[in-house]
Amino acid sequence: MQFVEAFRQFQFKVGRDNFCLVHVSLVVETNGGQQKTKPTQQNIRELRALGLAPDFIACRSKNPVSDSVRSKISLFCHVPEQNVINVYDVSNLYRVPILLQDMIKSIKVQLNIKTRGRSRLMRKWHDLAETYDRILEPVNICLVGKYTKLDDAYKSVINALEHASLFVNHKLQLSLVESEDLEEEVQNSDPTRFHAAWHSLCSAKGVIVPGGFGHRGTVGKMMAIKWCREKKIPMLAVCLGFQLAVIEYARNVVGLTDAKSGESPEISNNVVVIDMPEHNQGQLGGTMLLGSRSFNFNQECKLKELYGNKDVAKERHRHRYEVNLIMSQDLRRRE
């Protein structure tokens, strides 16, 4: 409970006018739809015993808390009724800031925070939330990864796909495919899982092959990359996925059957992906190149078009490897 004591002392250090405490409490709802306030009352009682008194109570609930329940919480928790805030489940994440607008305004008044009007921003945000609910046109994207059984493994990638889909007015339908399920070994050991994985891949309008570590599942990723290239399905390869895309092209198009990455321990004369000059080979842990990095477009391509037909662009970078510049000349010449 050290953090509670830290908050208790902090309110005296900064002064009551510079301190605002928002207590979030779950309002339990029975199967019959009755909302219970006793857990919230008990929470507030224990919090006051520790020396903290909430200025606002955010009532988390599945459905909006009724006025009578809010009034009861206000009465027994010694908080003004207007400071008992409804925070119920909404149809999409973008509606949450809209739901909290009244509480944000009250906090600004209490802390005497003066900000410029942001009505235009909130109108755009409201339009965004409305658009999300109205979108009906689906887009089926397949993510071929190594850690699809872990919910948060590709959280940032999935969020990026959701934002991109919303930007083009489409509703994302995402299929997560374990790359190992695409390999021939699974076809022999578990045909049902194998065919289900390939069905998800073949049904997609676009494919993304994200990063990862180690050799496991790389064969399946390369099979997915090859299928996309041959069937001309839009495919985005990131980090290890991009390494494998370069290797697949070098092996099956250029004819360098022993093409490999410098990250792999295998010995080959055709290393198409190498350590970046800024990276100390063999050292791991805090050695990735971070931050902005410039890259040049040497020819017309879809990627250049996406960056506004600029000759030079900058992007956030977090890697240890890059395409071997010497080999890249051969790759371009033999396309």
Side-chain angles (χ1 to χ4, degrees):
M1 302 296 287
Q2 293 88 342
F3 67 93
V4 175
E5 176 61 20
F7 272 125
R8 189 190 70 81
Q9 295 182 24
F10 183 73
Q11 65 181 330
F12 298 113
K13 182 177 180 180
V14 300
R16 197 66 187 89
D17 293 338
N18 297 313
F19 184 84
C20 180
L21 179 61
V22 180
H23 181 78
V24 182
S25 179
L26 176 65
V27 176
V28 181
E29 190 170 323
T30 65
N31 292 334
Q34 185 179 8
Q35 294 172 329
K36 296 293 185 178
T37 65
K38 283 295 183 182
T40 300
Q41 295 179 42
Q42 182 65 28
N43 287 341
I44 300 300
R45 189 177 299 114
E46 292 180 0
L47 191 64
R48 288 181 178 276
L50 294 171
L52 287 172
D55 300 291
F56 295 86
I57 299 177
C59 299
R60 277 294 288 121
S61 58
K62 183 177 180 180
N63 300 305
V65 175
S66 65
D67 291 340
S68 61
V69 171
R70 289 179 61 244
S71 178
K72 188 175 181 180
I73 292 175
S74 169
L75 178 65
F76 288 100
C77 295
H78 306 285
V79 174
E81 187 171 343
Q82 64 269 22
N83 288 4
V84 179
I85 310 299
N86 250 324
V87 188
Y88 51 86
D89 291 353
V90 288
S91 57
N92 66 72
L93 183 64
Y94 303 102
R95 292 194 178 277
V96 174
I98 300 173
L99 186 66
L100 297 178
Q101 276 301 292
D102 290 339
M103 184 176 72
I104 293 172
K105 291 178 181 177
S106 298
I107 292 175
K108 288 181 179 179
V109 172
Q110 178 162 330
L111 297 179
N112 195 26
I113 299 175
K114 296 180 180 179
T115 57
R116 291 179 296 177
R118 306 182 70 181
S119 57
R120 179 181 297 182
L121 175 62
M122 289 311 301
R123 281 198 298 270
K124 289 183 178 180
W125 193 270
H126 187 274
D127 292 342
L128 181 67
E130 291 290 334
T131 300
Y132 188 93
D133 286 338
R134 290 198 304 264
I135 291 176
L136 298 176
E137 185 69 24
V139 56
N140 189 4
I141 302 297
C142 179
L143 187 151
V144 181
K146 300 170 60 174
Y147 319 114
T148 56
K149 296 177 182 178
L150 303 175
D151 293 340
D152 292 338
Y154 302 110
K155 186 65 175 178
S156 60
V157 176
I158 294 173
N159 285 346
L161 288 171
E162 290 176 346
H163 296 160
S165 301
L166 180 60
F167 184 77
V168 295
N169 293 321
H170 280 69
K171 187 174 288 292
L172 177 66
Q173 291 183 346
L174 183 64
S175 301
L176 300 178
V177 172
E178 190 74 17
S179 57
E180 284 185 296
D181 292 349
L182 301 171
E183 299 175 6
E184 293 182 0
E185 292 183 5
V186 176
Q187 183 179 15
N188 298 326
S189 62
D190 193 341
T192 302
R193 198 173 71 188
F194 173 82
H195 290 295
W198 274 102
H199 179 268
S200 297
L201 178 64
C202 297
S203 302
K205 298 297 183 181
V207 176
I208 182 166
V209 184
F213 298 91
H215 180 72
R216 182 184 67 84
T218 56
V219 174
K221 285 190 175 187
M222 289 182 64
M223 294 175 72
I225 291 168
K226 180 181 179 182
W227 187 86
C228 291
R229 178 179 57 80
E230 292 178 343
K231 301 299 181 181
K232 299 187 183 302
I233 302 298
M235 189 270 297
L236 175 64
V238 181
C239 199
L240 177 62
F242 184 75
Q243 291 190 41
L244 297 175
V246 175
I247 294 171
E248 188 280 326
Y249 186 87
R251 290 180 180 179
N252 298 321
V253 177
V254 181
L256 304 175
T257 56
D258 62 341
K260 64 176 284 289
S261 165
E263 190 172 3
S264 172
E266 301 171 0
I267 299 175
S268 172
N269 294 324
N270 294 304
V271 182
V272 293
V273 178
I274 62 173
D275 285 85
M276 301 179 68
E278 300 90 337
H279 170 235
N280 295 322
Q281 188 172 1
Q283 295 184 11
L284 301 179
T287 58
M288 285 188 176
L289 177 67
L290 304 176
S292 178
R293 185 175 178 88
S294 300
F295 53 93
N296 302 320
F297 295 104
N298 295 323
Q299 61 184 24
E300 300 300 321
C301 61
K302 176 64 71 174
L303 190 60
K304 182 177 180 179
E305 180 182 339
L306 292 173
Y307 277 91
N309 291 314
K310 298 178 181 178
D311 294 327
V312 180
K314 289 186 177 182
E315 194 59 271
R316 178 179 178 271
H317 203 279
R318 190 175 183 271
H319 293 284
R320 295 189 182 96
Y321 302 93
E322 65 182 6
V323 176
N324 189 336
L325 294 179
I326 298 175
M327 301 294 294
S328 69
Q329 299 297 327
D330 295 333
L331 293 173
R332 279 199 291 265
R333 187 163 56 249
R334 300 186 193 184
E335 286 182 358

